[in-house]
Amino acid sequence: MISMEQMALVLNALPDPAFILSRSGKYVAIFGGRDERYYHDGSGLVGLYVADVVTDEKTRWFIEQIESALQSRTLLIQEYELSSKDVKGLADDGPEKPIWFEGRIQALDFLVDGEEVVLWVASNITQRHDSEIKLRELSDTDQLTGLFNRRKLEYELALHYASFKRHSLPMSIFIFDLDHLKKINDVQGHNAGDDVILAIADTCRVALRKTDIACRFGGDEFVVVLPNTGMQDALQFAQGFRECANQALSCFAIDGVSVTVSIGVSVTLSADSSYEDALKRADEALYEAKRQGRNQVCAALLVS
C-alpha cells in the first residue's frame, strides 16, 4: 500500500499542474506542474480566488466550467487560452502570444469548507495548437501565391451564401484571369509565368479590403468574394482592381503586348439554390469579357 506521504510525493511529481478548485473559484490545493518548460510554481495561488488572478471575463468563464462539471458529474474537457492581458498584475511587456491549455475538469465527491470542489488538470498545448493552426493554414493556402485555395473558397462561399439566405446580406463575386499569360509562358518559360501570377497575388493583398477573400481557383484564374457588397459597388470595385492590376502587370510584355486582367462579376440572387449559381454567372461574365476583347469588366445578367 502507498502511504499518504508517498501519495503526496506522487501528486507533486505530476508534470502538469492539478488544481483543486471550489465552486466559488477558490484555489484549495495545487499539485504537480513540475515540467519547468511550461509551468511556473503555482503554490502561491493556494487560498486565492480565480477572480484575484484573472480578469472578470476570464473569471466568469472559469466559474462556468466549474459549475458545468459539478452539475454533469462527468469529465469536462475544454481548450482555452491565457495571455498577459488576461492575468492580473503582469507587466505590459509580458508574452505577446497567448498560452493555450487543455483543461480536464472533474467533480470530486467531497466538500472543502462546506463547498463542492473539482479537480482541474491544466496541460500546456501551445505547441500542438500552433502546429494545428499551421496545418490548417497550409490546407487552406495555395502553395505558389499564398492566397487561399479552392477548398477555402468553397468554405467561404457556403458561409456567406448562408448569411445571404438567412439575413439577406448581399454577396458579390468576381472571377478574373490573366490575358496573354500563355504568350509569356511560351516565350519566356513557366518561371516567368509564375512571376506574373505572384505579381497579381501581391496586387490582391494590396488592393483588396480586409473583409474580401481572394483565392487562386486554378492556373491563372482567381476568384474574389466580396461580402456585404451589391452589384453596383462590386462593379466599381472590380474596375478599380483591374486598373491597379494592369499597372502592376505592365512590366510583363511580349512584342508590345502586356498582360492584362479580364473580370466577370455576379451577385447572389434570391432564386439561387446555392453559391454555385452565382459562381457560374461570374464565370460566364468573365468569358463575355474575353469575347469582347479582354482587359475589361463584365457584369452577369441580373435574372432571378
Side-chain angles (χ1 to χ4, degrees):
M1 294 289 291
I2 297 178
S3 67
M4 294 296 293
E5 292 80 5
Q6 290 171 326
M7 179 59 70
L9 290 173
V10 170
L11 291 173
N12 283 321
L14 293 172
D16 294 332
F19 304 90
I20 307 297
L21 288 164
S22 71
R23 181 188 288 273
S24 60
K26 184 178 182 179
Y27 291 95
V28 175
I30 298 176
F31 306 99
R34 294 305 179 191
D35 192 337
E36 295 180 354
R37 296 173 301 169
Y38 303 118
Y39 310 109
H40 298 291
D41 180 16
S43 57
L45 296 174
V46 175
L48 297 178
Y49 287 81
V50 172
D52 298 324
V53 180
V54 298
T55 60
D56 292 345
E57 182 179 355
K58 282 293 182 181
T59 296
R60 286 192 292 271
W61 185 85
F62 277 102
I63 296 300
E64 286 172 3
Q65 308 318 305
I66 292 170
E67 188 67 32
S68 179
L70 288 171
Q71 290 183 2
S72 69
R73 314 304 294 185
T74 59
L75 179 64
L76 179 66
I77 301 176
Q78 292 283 20
E79 291 188 7
Y80 59 98
E81 62 175 321
L82 285 175
S83 70
S84 57
K85 295 181 294 184
D86 299 318
V87 181
K88 295 180 178 179
L90 284 186
D92 292 337
D93 59 353
E96 293 183 2
K97 294 183 63 178
I99 299 173
W100 281 86
F101 295 92
E102 180 184 81
R104 297 183 297 283
I105 310 125
Q106 176 68 60
L108 298 174
D109 293 327
F110 57 83
L111 304 179
V112 175
D113 295 332
E115 268 199 292
E116 292 181 291
V117 292
V118 300
L119 172 68
W120 186 308
V121 180
S123 300
N124 188 320
I125 60 167
T126 303
Q127 288 184 350
R128 188 190 84 191
H129 183 270
D130 289 348
S131 296
E132 290 173 351
I133 293 294
K134 289 177 182 177
L135 287 172
R136 195 176 302 123
E137 289 175 350
L138 286 173
S139 69
D140 289 340
T141 303
D142 175 65
Q143 188 173 5
L144 175 62
T145 64
L147 299 179
F148 290 132
N149 58 19
R150 191 166 185 157
R151 175 181 178 275
K152 177 67 170 178
L153 169 68
E154 291 172 351
Y155 171 82
E156 292 291 341
L157 283 172
L159 189 69
H160 289 290
Y161 175 77
S163 294
F164 166 72
K165 283 296 189 182
R166 189 175 301 115
H167 306 295
S168 299
L169 295 175
M171 174 183 70
S172 291
I173 300 168
F174 72 77
I175 299 180
F176 70 90
D177 72 4
L178 304 175
D179 307 319
H180 312 299
L181 179 63
K182 184 177 185 300
K183 195 164 189 178
I184 297 287
N185 286 329
D186 291 344
V187 175
Q188 296 184 346
H190 286 276
N191 286 337
D194 285 349
D195 289 340
V196 177
I197 290 173
L198 288 171
I200 197 66
D202 288 339
T203 302
C204 288
R205 281 184 275 270
V206 171
L208 298 181
R209 302 165 299 186
K210 289 184 179 180
T211 54
D212 300 331
I213 300 115
C215 307
R216 187 183 181 199
F217 200 56
D220 66 335
E221 192 170 52
F222 297 78
V223 177
V224 177
V225 182
L226 307 172
N228 303 325
T229 305
M231 175 61 92
Q232 291 305 312
D233 288 337
L235 281 171
Q236 184 177 354
F237 187 80
Q239 287 286 8
F241 177 83
R242 183 186 64 83
E243 293 170 6
C244 184
N246 286 349
Q247 183 177 357
L249 298 173
S250 61
C251 59
F252 299 99
I254 295 292
D255 298 331
V257 178
S258 297
V259 178
T260 56
V261 169
S262 296
I263 303 177
V265 184
S266 71
V267 65
T268 44
L269 301 175
S270 57
D272 290 344
S273 59
S274 75
Y275 68 79
E276 292 177 348
D277 293 333
L279 191 63
K280 182 180 179 182
R281 288 194 301 274
D283 194 48
E284 291 170 349
L286 168 61
Y287 280 98
E288 182 60 28
K290 291 287 194 180
R291 283 192 292 269
Q292 291 184 16
R294 300 188 177 93
N295 191 21
Q296 57 189 283
V297 176
C298 281
L301 295 176
L302 296 178
V303 178
S304 59

